[in-house]
Amino acid sequence: MTKLLQGRIAIVTGAGRGLGRSHALELARQGAKVLVNDMGADQPDAQAQAVVDTIRAAGGEAYVHGADVTDPQQVHAMVQFAIEQWGRVDILVNNAGILRDKSFAKMSLDEFRLVMEVHLMGAVHCTHAVWNAMRDQKYGRIVMTTSSSGLYGNFGQSNYGAAKMALVGLMQTLALEGERNNVRVNCLAPTAATAMTEGLLDAQALELLSPSSVSPALIALVTENAPTRTILLAGAGSFEQAHITMTQGIHLSEEELAENILVSRLDEVSDRQEETVPATGFDQLRHEIAKAQVYREPCTSGAQTA
């Protein structure tokens, strides 16, 4: 087997079990040296140590680290530990997460804030800790773990969905900022049977949704030729891509705006024919200015408008 990540250095957060464990094992199988992060990983019976032992038994290199991703000082120490062991960090997989599912009416602000802190700020802390080093070495691959709950919504997961969609926004901007230094940033939206899905799926679905069926998607996002600004969906051996798109929309004159014409023309605004995937946030501005100019230019020459 050709090893796609031979000699690369990877950090995987929340890697004691579930998806994180699967990601760490697959990164190692592809030749990467892996720092397996999980809270409490420094305990003798920690699951993260078992992941490290499995990697070493297969001939790979791995260490364990128990940094709490919500603590930026602990995260910085974790990154420094990886650099001390191997000299650099090439790959960061932001996988750590928790659930506190409740309908928004029953959810406390503390429950909302905690999920945001782990998923969003945990990824921010880890990414910030490796960012400048990756830019300096002109190489980096970063994966944010988003979710269909963020992309499309899910009842009882307003906190989780908000955090997961925020990671998409973070990825969109960091991919632009990292591009010229060969730092590529992507999102993975996994569907897998893990501790976070216990009790939600039947036995047959759980059998199909193995974490190992998702990890090949992770590898595709961290190789030498990985894309950037990609939202890759994966589950049960299936793979899809999500896009944040913009419709062609309409333009309204000042008179139409004053008459609230938009209310009766929302169906035209939502028409998805010829929709586009903006390259940056400025594409919305450019698109709207261009439509306004097309509308107004004929007026200045005395021509009739439709």
mmCIF file of all heavy atoms in Angstrom, residues 166-213:
data_model
loop_
_atom_site.group_PDB
_atom_site.id
_atom_site.type_symbol
_atom_site.label_atom_id
_atom_site.label_comp_id
_atom_site.label_asym_id
_atom_site.label_seq_id
_atom_site.Cartn_x
_atom_site.Cartn_y
_atom_site.Cartn_z
ATOM 1 N N ALA A 166 -20.630 27.695 12.608
ATOM 2 C CA ALA A 166 -19.576 28.687 12.831
ATOM 3 C C ALA A 166 -18.232 28.165 12.342
ATOM 4 O O ALA A 166 -17.410 28.932 11.814
ATOM 5 C CB ALA A 166 -19.506 29.035 14.314
ATOM 6 N N LEU A 167 -17.994 26.867 12.475
ATOM 7 C CA LEU A 167 -16.748 26.281 11.991
ATOM 8 C C LEU A 167 -16.634 26.374 10.475
ATOM 9 O O LEU A 167 -15.531 26.490 9.941
ATOM 10 C CB LEU A 167 -16.643 24.823 12.447
ATOM 11 C CG LEU A 167 -16.358 24.628 13.936
ATOM 12 C CD1 LEU A 167 -16.556 23.173 14.339
ATOM 13 C CD2 LEU A 167 -14.958 25.098 14.288
ATOM 14 N N VAL A 168 -17.760 26.317 9.780
ATOM 15 C CA VAL A 168 -17.738 26.495 8.330
ATOM 16 C C VAL A 168 -17.281 27.911 7.987
ATOM 17 O O VAL A 168 -16.444 28.119 7.103
ATOM 18 C CB VAL A 168 -19.112 26.199 7.705
ATOM 19 C CG1 VAL A 168 -19.113 26.523 6.209
ATOM 20 C CG2 VAL A 168 -19.498 24.737 7.928
ATOM 21 N N GLY A 169 -17.824 28.887 8.694
ATOM 22 C CA GLY A 169 -17.406 30.262 8.461
ATOM 23 C C GLY A 169 -15.930 30.465 8.776
ATOM 24 O O GLY A 169 -15.221 31.178 8.041
ATOM 25 N N LEU A 170 -15.450 29.850 9.842
ATOM 26 C CA LEU A 170 -14.034 29.923 10.183
ATOM 27 C C LEU A 170 -13.192 29.313 9.069
ATOM 28 O O LEU A 170 -12.173 29.887 8.647
ATOM 29 C CB LEU A 170 -13.796 29.187 11.501
ATOM 30 C CG LEU A 170 -12.362 29.115 12.019
ATOM 31 C CD1 LEU A 170 -11.823 30.510 12.317
ATOM 32 C CD2 LEU A 170 -12.286 28.228 13.266
ATOM 33 N N MET A 171 -13.595 28.155 8.585
ATOM 34 C CA MET A 171 -12.879 27.491 7.497
ATOM 35 C C MET A 171 -12.835 28.348 6.240
ATOM 36 O O MET A 171 -11.785 28.487 5.593
ATOM 37 C CB MET A 171 -13.549 26.148 7.195
ATOM 38 C CG MET A 171 -12.965 25.383 6.022
ATOM 39 S SD MET A 171 -13.651 25.815 4.388
ATOM 40 C CE MET A 171 -15.291 25.147 4.482
ATOM 41 N N GLN A 172 -13.961 28.967 5.880
ATOM 42 C CA GLN A 172 -14.023 29.764 4.653
ATOM 43 C C GLN A 172 -12.970 30.870 4.664
ATOM 44 O O GLN A 172 -12.282 31.104 3.662
ATOM 45 C CB GLN A 172 -15.420 30.390 4.509
ATOM 46 C CG GLN A 172 -16.572 29.409 4.362
ATOM 47 C CD GLN A 172 -16.796 28.961 2.925
ATOM 48 O OE1 GLN A 172 -15.915 29.027 2.091
ATOM 49 N NE2 GLN A 172 -18.012 28.505 2.647
ATOM 50 N N THR A 173 -12.834 31.556 5.782
ATOM 51 C CA THR A 173 -11.885 32.668 5.864
ATOM 52 C C THR A 173 -10.448 32.177 6.007
ATOM 53 O O THR A 173 -9.539 32.696 5.344
ATOM 54 C CB THR A 173 -12.253 33.601 7.027
ATOM 55 O OG1 THR A 173 -13.495 34.244 6.722
ATOM 56 C CG2 THR A 173 -11.187 34.663 7.247
ATOM 57 N N LEU A 174 -10.211 31.182 6.852
ATOM 58 C CA LEU A 174 -8.847 30.698 7.040
ATOM 59 C C LEU A 174 -8.290 30.070 5.770
ATOM 60 O O LEU A 174 -7.080 30.165 5.502
ATOM 61 C CB LEU A 174 -8.783 29.702 8.191
ATOM 62 C CG LEU A 174 -9.046 30.268 9.586
ATOM 63 C CD1 LEU A 174 -8.818 29.193 10.649
ATOM 64 C CD2 LEU A 174 -8.159 31.477 9.872
ATOM 65 N N ALA A 175 -9.142 29.450 4.973
ATOM 66 C CA ALA A 175 -8.675 28.898 3.699
ATOM 67 C C ALA A 175 -8.145 30.003 2.788
ATOM 68 O O ALA A 175 -7.135 29.825 2.098
ATOM 69 C CB ALA A 175 -9.801 28.135 3.005
ATOM 70 N N LEU A 176 -8.827 31.148 2.793
ATOM 71 C CA LEU A 176 -8.353 32.283 1.996
ATOM 72 C C LEU A 176 -7.044 32.833 2.561
ATOM 73 O O LEU A 176 -6.104 33.134 1.815
ATOM 74 C CB LEU A 176 -9.418 33.380 1.976
ATOM 75 C CG LEU A 176 -10.740 33.037 1.291
ATOM 76 C CD1 LEU A 176 -11.755 34.153 1.508
ATOM 77 C CD2 LEU A 176 -10.527 32.801 -0.203
ATOM 78 N N GLU A 177 -6.971 32.970 3.885
ATOM 79 C CA GLU A 177 -5.778 33.547 4.505
ATOM 80 C C GLU A 177 -4.571 32.618 4.427
ATOM 81 O O GLU A 177 -3.430 33.086 4.402
ATOM 82 C CB GLU A 177 -6.076 33.894 5.962
ATOM 83 C CG GLU A 177 -7.084 35.020 6.121
ATOM 84 C CD GLU A 177 -7.289 35.447 7.566
ATOM 85 O OE1 GLU A 177 -6.574 34.938 8.453
ATOM 86 O OE2 GLU A 177 -8.166 36.302 7.794
ATOM 87 N N GLY A 178 -4.806 31.313 4.377
ATOM 88 C CA GLY A 178 -3.691 30.368 4.349
ATOM 89 C C GLY A 178 -3.227 29.980 2.967
ATOM 90 O O GLY A 178 -2.174 29.342 2.826
ATOM 91 N N GLU A 179 -3.975 30.380 1.941
ATOM 92 C CA GLU A 179 -3.741 29.842 0.596
ATOM 93 C C GLU A 179 -2.323 30.088 0.077
ATOM 94 O O GLU A 179 -1.664 29.179 -0.431
ATOM 95 C CB GLU A 179 -4.764 30.436 -0.377
ATOM 96 C CG GLU A 179 -4.707 29.820 -1.753
ATOM 97 C CD GLU A 179 -5.870 30.261 -2.622
ATOM 98 O OE1 GLU A 179 -6.563 31.232 -2.257
ATOM 99 O OE2 GLU A 179 -6.072 29.639 -3.679
ATOM 100 N N ARG A 180 -1.818 31.290 0.193
ATOM 101 C CA ARG A 180 -0.517 31.554 -0.426
ATOM 102 C C ARG A 180 0.644 30.935 0.343
ATOM 103 O O ARG A 180 1.766 30.871 -0.165
ATOM 104 C CB ARG A 180 -0.303 33.049 -0.613
ATOM 105 C CG ARG A 180 -0.030 33.851 0.626
ATOM 106 C CD ARG A 180 0.262 35.272 0.219
ATOM 107 N NE ARG A 180 0.485 36.143 1.360
ATOM 108 C CZ ARG A 180 0.792 37.432 1.248
ATOM 109 N NH1 ARG A 180 0.903 37.988 0.055
ATOM 110 N NH2 ARG A 180 0.981 38.162 2.321
ATOM 111 N N ASN A 181 0.387 30.466 1.558
ATOM 112 C CA ASN A 181 1.412 29.761 2.325
ATOM 113 C C ASN A 181 1.173 28.251 2.356
ATOM 114 O O ASN A 181 1.729 27.552 3.207
ATOM 115 C CB ASN A 181 1.477 30.320 3.747
ATOM 116 C CG ASN A 181 2.041 31.722 3.786
ATOM 117 O OD1 ASN A 181 3.133 31.973 3.273
ATOM 118 N ND2 ASN A 181 1.309 32.643 4.376
ATOM 119 N N ASN A 182 0.334 27.770 1.436
ATOM 120 C CA ASN A 182 0.067 26.341 1.316
ATOM 121 C C ASN A 182 -0.516 25.745 2.589
ATOM 122 O O ASN A 182 -0.228 24.606 2.961
ATOM 123 C CB ASN A 182 1.331 25.579 0.905
ATOM 124 C CG ASN A 182 1.040 24.154 0.446
ATOM 125 O OD1 ASN A 182 -0.065 23.834 -0.005
ATOM 126 N ND2 ASN A 182 2.032 23.288 0.573
ATOM 127 N N VAL A 183 -1.329 26.533 3.290
ATOM 128 C CA VAL A 183 -2.085 26.031 4.433
ATOM 129 C C VAL A 183 -3.528 25.854 3.961
ATOM 130 O O VAL A 183 -4.210 26.834 3.660
ATOM 131 C CB VAL A 183 -2.024 26.983 5.636
ATOM 132 C CG1 VAL A 183 -2.834 26.411 6.801
ATOM 133 C CG2 VAL A 183 -0.575 27.210 6.060
ATOM 134 N N ARG A 184 -3.953 24.631 3.856
ATOM 135 C CA ARG A 184 -5.275 24.314 3.317
ATOM 136 C C ARG A 184 -6.216 23.926 4.446
ATOM 137 O O ARG A 184 -5.856 23.123 5.314
ATOM 138 C CB ARG A 184 -5.168 23.212 2.261
ATOM 139 C CG ARG A 184 -4.201 23.601 1.134
ATOM 140 C CD ARG A 184 -4.077 22.561 0.065
ATOM 141 N NE ARG A 184 -3.021 22.930 -0.874
ATOM 142 C CZ ARG A 184 -2.670 22.217 -1.944
ATOM 143 N NH1 ARG A 184 -3.300 21.073 -2.209
ATOM 144 N NH2 ARG A 184 -1.698 22.643 -2.722
ATOM 145 N N VAL A 185 -7.399 24.502 4.406
ATOM 146 C CA VAL A 185 -8.357 24.331 5.496
ATOM 147 C C VAL A 185 -9.679 23.837 4.922
ATOM 148 O O VAL A 185 -10.214 24.430 3.972
ATOM 149 C CB VAL A 185 -8.568 25.652 6.263
ATOM 150 C CG1 VAL A 185 -9.383 25.412 7.532
ATOM 151 C CG2 VAL A 185 -7.229 26.315 6.610
ATOM 152 N N ASN A 186 -10.197 22.758 5.490
ATOM 153 C CA ASN A 186 -11.423 22.142 4.994
ATOM 154 C C ASN A 186 -12.325 21.740 6.151
ATOM 155 O O ASN A 186 -11.926 21.765 7.316
ATOM 156 C CB ASN A 186 -11.083 20.893 4.172
ATOM 157 C CG ASN A 186 -10.308 21.217 2.916
ATOM 158 O OD1 ASN A 186 -10.850 21.765 1.960
ATOM 159 N ND2 ASN A 186 -9.017 20.890 2.907
ATOM 160 N N CYS A 187 -13.556 21.373 5.813
ATOM 161 C CA CYS A 187 -14.520 20.863 6.788
ATOM 162 C C CYS A 187 -14.924 19.445 6.432
ATOM 163 O O CYS A 187 -15.131 19.127 5.250
ATOM 164 C CB CYS A 187 -15.777 21.739 6.818
ATOM 165 S SG CYS A 187 -15.641 23.222 7.820
ATOM 166 N N LEU A 188 -15.072 18.632 7.445
ATOM 167 C CA LEU A 188 -15.609 17.283 7.299
ATOM 168 C C LEU A 188 -16.912 17.195 8.075
ATOM 169 O O LEU A 188 -16.953 17.534 9.267
ATOM 170 C CB LEU A 188 -14.604 16.261 7.824
ATOM 171 C CG LEU A 188 -15.055 14.797 7.841
ATOM 172 C CD1 LEU A 188 -15.353 14.304 6.436
ATOM 173 C CD2 LEU A 188 -13.993 13.924 8.524
ATOM 174 N N ALA A 189 -17.965 16.768 7.409
ATOM 175 C CA ALA A 189 -19.266 16.563 8.060
ATOM 176 C C ALA A 189 -19.531 15.056 8.109
ATOM 177 O O ALA A 189 -20.034 14.477 7.144
ATOM 178 C CB ALA A 189 -20.372 17.282 7.292
ATOM 179 N N PRO A 190 -19.184 14.406 9.217
ATOM 180 C CA PRO A 190 -19.301 12.950 9.298
ATOM 181 C C PRO A 190 -20.668 12.484 9.781
ATOM 182 O O PRO A 190 -21.356 13.178 10.533
ATOM 183 C CB PRO A 190 -18.223 12.594 10.326
ATOM 184 C CG PRO A 190 -18.213 13.773 11.253
ATOM 185 C CD PRO A 190 -18.550 14.983 10.415
ATOM 186 N N THR A 191 -21.038 11.311 9.344
ATOM 187 C CA THR A 191 -22.172 10.596 9.919
ATOM 188 C C THR A 191 -21.645 9.248 10.390
ATOM 189 O O THR A 191 -21.235 8.427 9.563
ATOM 190 C CB THR A 191 -23.294 10.386 8.892
ATOM 191 O OG1 THR A 191 -23.637 11.638 8.308
ATOM 192 C CG2 THR A 191 -24.518 9.788 9.555
ATOM 193 N N ALA A 192 -21.592 9.048 11.685
ATOM 194 C CA ALA A 192 -20.997 7.818 12.203
ATOM 195 C C ALA A 192 -21.626 7.444 13.532
ATOM 196 O O ALA A 192 -22.144 8.294 14.257
ATOM 197 C CB ALA A 192 -19.488 7.992 12.374
ATOM 198 N N ALA A 193 -21.560 6.167 13.833
ATOM 199 C CA ALA A 193 -22.041 5.671 15.120
ATOM 200 C C ALA A 193 -20.941 5.869 16.150
ATOM 201 O O ALA A 193 -19.911 5.201 16.104
ATOM 202 C CB ALA A 193 -22.403 4.196 14.996
ATOM 203 N N THR A 194 -21.153 6.820 17.038
ATOM 204 C CA THR A 194 -20.172 7.110 18.083
ATOM 205 C C THR A 194 -20.917 7.285 19.404
ATOM 206 O O THR A 194 -22.148 7.148 19.471
ATOM 207 C CB THR A 194 -19.401 8.418 17.765
ATOM 208 O OG1 THR A 194 -20.299 9.528 17.878
ATOM 209 C CG2 THR A 194 -18.807 8.370 16.362
ATOM 210 N N ALA A 195 -20.173 7.641 20.443
ATOM 211 C CA ALA A 195 -20.810 7.904 21.741
ATOM 212 C C ALA A 195 -21.814 9.037 21.643
ATOM 213 O O ALA A 195 -22.770 9.113 22.424
ATOM 214 C CB ALA A 195 -19.728 8.235 22.773
ATOM 215 N N MET A 196 -21.614 9.935 20.657
ATOM 216 C CA MET A 196 -22.517 11.077 20.506
ATOM 217 C C MET A 196 -23.827 10.697 19.812
ATOM 218 O O MET A 196 -24.755 11.483 19.773
ATOM 219 C CB MET A 196 -21.812 12.195 19.739
ATOM 220 C CG MET A 196 -20.643 12.794 20.521
ATOM 221 S SD MET A 196 -19.741 14.065 19.615
ATOM 222 C CE MET A 196 -20.961 15.377 19.597
ATOM 223 N N THR A 197 -23.891 9.482 19.232
ATOM 224 C CA THR A 197 -25.131 9.074 18.563
ATOM 225 C C THR A 197 -25.802 7.897 19.267
ATOM 226 O O THR A 197 -26.786 7.351 18.760
ATOM 227 C CB THR A 197 -24.849 8.689 17.093
ATOM 228 O OG1 THR A 197 -23.877 7.621 17.056
ATOM 229 C CG2 THR A 197 -24.345 9.870 16.305
ATOM 230 N N GLU A 198 -25.287 7.480 20.409
ATOM 231 C CA GLU A 198 -25.871 6.349 21.137
ATOM 232 C C GLU A 198 -27.338 6.616 21.467
ATOM 233 O O GLU A 198 -27.695 7.684 21.939
ATOM 234 C CB GLU A 198 -25.093 6.096 22.431
ATOM 235 C CG GLU A 198 -23.739 5.456 22.208
ATOM 236 C CD GLU A 198 -22.968 5.262 23.503
ATOM 237 O OE1 GLU A 198 -23.536 5.569 24.577
ATOM 238 O OE2 GLU A 198 -21.807 4.829 23.447
ATOM 239 N N GLY A 199 -28.182 5.641 21.201
ATOM 240 C CA GLY A 199 -29.599 5.763 21.500
ATOM 241 C C GLY A 199 -30.409 6.476 20.435
ATOM 242 O O GLY A 199 -31.631 6.559 20.530
ATOM 243 N N LEU A 200 -29.743 6.965 19.392
ATOM 244 C CA LEU A 200 -30.449 7.709 18.350
ATOM 245 C C LEU A 200 -30.740 6.865 17.112
ATOM 246 O O LEU A 200 -31.598 7.230 16.311
ATOM 247 C CB LEU A 200 -29.619 8.937 17.929
ATOM 248 C CG LEU A 200 -29.318 9.967 19.023
ATOM 249 C CD1 LEU A 200 -28.441 11.075 18.458
ATOM 250 C CD2 LEU A 200 -30.610 10.532 19.602
ATOM 251 N N LEU A 201 -30.029 5.747 16.933
ATOM 252 C CA LEU A 201 -30.134 4.967 15.707
ATOM 253 C C LEU A 201 -30.370 3.495 16.033
ATOM 254 O O LEU A 201 -29.984 3.009 17.093
ATOM 255 C CB LEU A 201 -28.837 5.105 14.890
ATOM 256 C CG LEU A 201 -28.453 6.528 14.471
ATOM 257 C CD1 LEU A 201 -27.017 6.552 13.956
ATOM 258 C CD2 LEU A 201 -29.412 7.058 13.419
ATOM 259 N N ASP A 202 -30.995 2.776 15.070
ATOM 260 C CA ASP A 202 -31.215 1.353 15.297
ATOM 261 C C ASP A 202 -29.946 0.571 14.969
ATOM 262 O O ASP A 202 -28.982 1.095 14.411
ATOM 263 C CB ASP A 202 -32.400 0.846 14.468
ATOM 264 C CG ASP A 202 -32.205 1.003 12.961
ATOM 265 O OD1 ASP A 202 -31.064 0.852 12.473
ATOM 266 O OD2 ASP A 202 -33.201 1.285 12.264
ATOM 267 N N ALA A 203 -29.949 -0.712 15.312
ATOM 268 C CA ALA A 203 -28.747 -1.543 15.210
ATOM 269 C C ALA A 203 -28.240 -1.640 13.775
ATOM 270 O O ALA A 203 -27.030 -1.622 13.525
ATOM 271 C CB ALA A 203 -29.043 -2.933 15.764
ATOM 272 N N GLN A 204 -29.163 -1.758 12.814
ATOM 273 C CA GLN A 204 -28.747 -1.889 11.418
ATOM 274 C C GLN A 204 -28.035 -0.630 10.926
ATOM 275 O O GLN A 204 -27.008 -0.702 10.252
ATOM 276 C CB GLN A 204 -29.964 -2.169 10.529
ATOM 277 C CG GLN A 204 -29.598 -2.430 9.074
ATOM 278 C CD GLN A 204 -30.802 -2.783 8.225
ATOM 279 O OE1 GLN A 204 -31.945 -2.603 8.655
ATOM 280 N NE2 GLN A 204 -30.572 -3.281 7.028
ATOM 281 N N ALA A 205 -28.585 0.537 11.284
ATOM 282 C CA ALA A 205 -27.961 1.800 10.892
ATOM 283 C C ALA A 205 -26.603 1.959 11.556
ATOM 284 O O ALA A 205 -25.636 2.404 10.932
ATOM 285 C CB ALA A 205 -28.870 2.966 11.253
ATOM 286 N N LEU A 206 -26.520 1.585 12.830
ATOM 287 C CA LEU A 206 -25.256 1.697 13.552
ATOM 288 C C LEU A 206 -24.173 0.839 12.910
ATOM 289 O O LEU A 206 -23.007 1.234 12.844
ATOM 290 C CB LEU A 206 -25.450 1.281 15.009
ATOM 291 C CG LEU A 206 -26.281 2.234 15.879
ATOM 292 C CD1 LEU A 206 -26.551 1.615 17.235
ATOM 293 C CD2 LEU A 206 -25.590 3.576 16.041
ATOM 294 N N GLU A 207 -24.561 -0.328 12.414
ATOM 295 C CA GLU A 207 -23.595 -1.210 11.762
ATOM 296 C C GLU A 207 -23.049 -0.576 10.489
ATOM 297 O O GLU A 207 -21.866 -0.711 10.166
ATOM 298 C CB GLU A 207 -24.259 -2.558 11.456
ATOM 299 C CG GLU A 207 -23.292 -3.589 10.891
ATOM 300 C CD GLU A 207 -23.960 -4.933 10.654
ATOM 301 O OE1 GLU A 207 -25.119 -5.112 11.101
ATOM 302 O OE2 GLU A 207 -23.333 -5.800 10.019
ATOM 303 N N LEU A 208 -23.898 0.104 9.752
ATOM 304 C CA LEU A 208 -23.467 0.751 8.506
ATOM 305 C C LEU A 208 -22.586 1.964 8.760
ATOM 306 O O LEU A 208 -21.661 2.243 8.003
ATOM 307 C CB LEU A 208 -24.694 1.178 7.688
ATOM 308 C CG LEU A 208 -25.552 0.072 7.085
ATOM 309 C CD1 LEU A 208 -26.831 0.666 6.503
ATOM 310 C CD2 LEU A 208 -24.768 -0.670 5.998
ATOM 311 N N LEU A 209 -22.895 2.671 9.857
ATOM 312 C CA LEU A 209 -22.246 3.961 10.102
ATOM 313 C C LEU A 209 -21.001 3.822 10.980
ATOM 314 O O LEU A 209 -20.882 4.449 12.025
ATOM 315 C CB LEU A 209 -23.246 4.923 10.752
ATOM 316 C CG LEU A 209 -24.427 5.332 9.873
ATOM 317 C CD1 LEU A 209 -25.457 6.101 10.686
ATOM 318 C CD2 LEU A 209 -23.943 6.186 8.694
ATOM 319 N N SER A 210 -20.073 3.020 10.545
ATOM 320 C CA SER A 210 -18.844 2.845 11.309
ATOM 321 C C SER A 210 -17.944 4.063 11.141
ATOM 322 O O SER A 210 -17.870 4.650 10.055
ATOM 323 C CB SER A 210 -18.098 1.597 10.829
ATOM 324 O OG SER A 210 -17.676 1.773 9.481
ATOM 325 N N PRO A 211 -17.249 4.482 12.198
ATOM 326 C CA PRO A 211 -16.293 5.582 12.056
ATOM 327 C C PRO A 211 -15.240 5.318 10.989
ATOM 328 O O PRO A 211 -14.797 6.249 10.300
ATOM 329 C CB PRO A 211 -15.668 5.665 13.455
ATOM 330 C CG PRO A 211 -16.734 5.167 14.373
ATOM 331 C CD PRO A 211 -17.403 4.065 13.606
ATOM 332 N N SER A 212 -14.849 4.055 10.815
ATOM 333 C CA SER A 212 -13.813 3.734 9.830
ATOM 334 C C SER A 212 -14.256 4.025 8.404
ATOM 335 O O SER A 212 -13.420 4.188 7.506
ATOM 336 C CB SER A 212 -13.392 2.273 9.961
ATOM 337 O OG SER A 212 -14.486 1.410 9.717
ATOM 338 N N SER A 213 -15.576 4.084 8.180
ATOM 339 C CA SER A 213 -16.059 4.408 6.831
ATOM 340 C C SER A 213 -15.990 5.898 6.539
ATOM 341 O O SER A 213 -16.149 6.324 5.393
ATOM 342 C CB SER A 213 -17.503 3.909 6.648
ATOM 343 O OG SER A 213 -18.413 4.692 7.420
#
